[in-house]
Amino acid sequence: MVPLVDLHAQHAALGDELRAALDRVIRTSSFILGDELDAFEVEAREYFGVPHAIGLASGTDALHLALRALGIGEGDEVILPSFTFVATATAVHLAGATPVFADIDPTTFHLDPVSAGEAITERTRALLPVHLYGQPVALQPLRELAQSHGLRVIEDACQAHGARDGERRIGTLTDAGCFSFYPSKNLGCLGDGGLLLTRDAELADRVRRLRHHGQLGKHDHQTVGFTARLDGLQAAFLRAKLPHLDAWNERRRQLAERYTRALADLPLVLPHPTADHVYHLYVVRSGDRDALADHLRAAEIQTGIHYPQPVHRTEAFAGYGGGTDYPQSDAAAREVLSLPMFPELSESQQATVISAVRGFFG
Ligand SMILES: *Cc1c(COP(=O)(O)O)cnc(C)c1O
């Protein structure tokens, strides 16, 4: 069997470092807001090249608290792509604001600046683009749109750890960059975790307060807050993993190039190649997607669909759809198929996938 993702391989290779991290946390009891979290935040700041990095309990919390700390809430609208993981929209809802969907660019699967522009109203406060599948969004058109309407921009970078836009890392290019450390992400912890990056010191203070019962100093409750800190134990695990992130991403890129070379002549749409893609997922498009997935399953190859429903089609968010159609999002949901992709995927496993995909097309 070739899995879509294999977490076991990575954790077996890092076993000693992860056990040392666990021992350290047991020894020091730095479970909540302790030395391990402080040290991870310093290391994350250095890695991402940004003045403020704040460890949070999940990627959803990072998005949610970013919105709250920017003062976005009830009566405000936030524009996001309808084709994303549901949590992008959940965060807007949790902040008390209204998620307003826009369509995607069919080549990149990213928030389409034209569709986003059409969705702007007097209540719009922010744009929330998603670096989907690990491919950096071209932010300039969205920044211009935001500037001309006085909007904030928040990056959902939950699938793009370590990706770059020129010299700078994704997640450092807007008001706030939000990451998830869900285990299967490019940088994952051994449970749930998240991170918010910003250059704005006041925003950083507000997020630090919000993640910890609304307090910065002890018994100094200025706002109502949450319990949304990254655990010390997860921070310790992440400190062991962060130094490997660039090498893992490089390996993902090599695997992606190999897929692309081997599948280029087939009637499939392959990922739009960009130098800085970190391939959280390797996603192909086919009009015959379900039959292709069945064929691969019969060959014991696991695939995934990210995502079978655009968010405005889900029952949970149907109330926010407003009866609008997002044809590119609907088409993507019908056609996308994720092939096995993780840094430890072996060449022989990948060759099995390639020959099975080629076999489907005869
Ligand atoms: C994983 C993910 C999230 C949410 O992260 P959690 O840590 O699971 O809360 C948000 N947006 C996108 C695009 C994601 O892939």
Side-chain angles (χ1 to χ4, degrees), residues 264-289:
D265 60 322
L266 300 179
L268 280 173
V269 180
L270 301 179
H272 185 65
T274 50
D276 298 307
H277 202 316
V278 291
Y279 293 98
H280 172 57
L281 296 166
Y282 186 90
V283 176
V284 301
R285 289 180 75 141
S286 164
D288 223 358
R289 189 263 315 274

Side-chain angles (χ1 to χ4, degrees), residues 197-239:
L197 305 179
T198 184
R199 300 181 170 274
D200 178 340
E202 280 176 36
L203 176 67
D205 272 354
R206 284 197 291 276
V207 172
R208 286 184 189 283
R209 212 175 279 140
L210 286 170
R211 76 171 171 178
H212 184 51
H213 304 294
Q215 66 182 26
L216 263 184
K218 207 170 174 113
H219 302 308
D220 171 20
H221 302 274
Q222 300 184 355
T223 47
V224 179
F226 300 86
T227 307
R229 303 149 303 217
L230 178 68
D231 283 357
L233 182 56
Q234 297 304 340
F237 290 145
L238 287 162
R239 293 182 67 199

Side-chain angles (χ1 to χ4, degrees), residues 286-307:
S286 164
D288 223 358
R289 189 263 315 274
D290 293 337
L292 174 58
D294 288 345
H295 175 86
L296 295 177
R297 190 175 311 114
E300 303 209 305
I301 293 162
Q302 218 178 41
T303 58
I305 298 176
H306 303 90
Y307 298 89

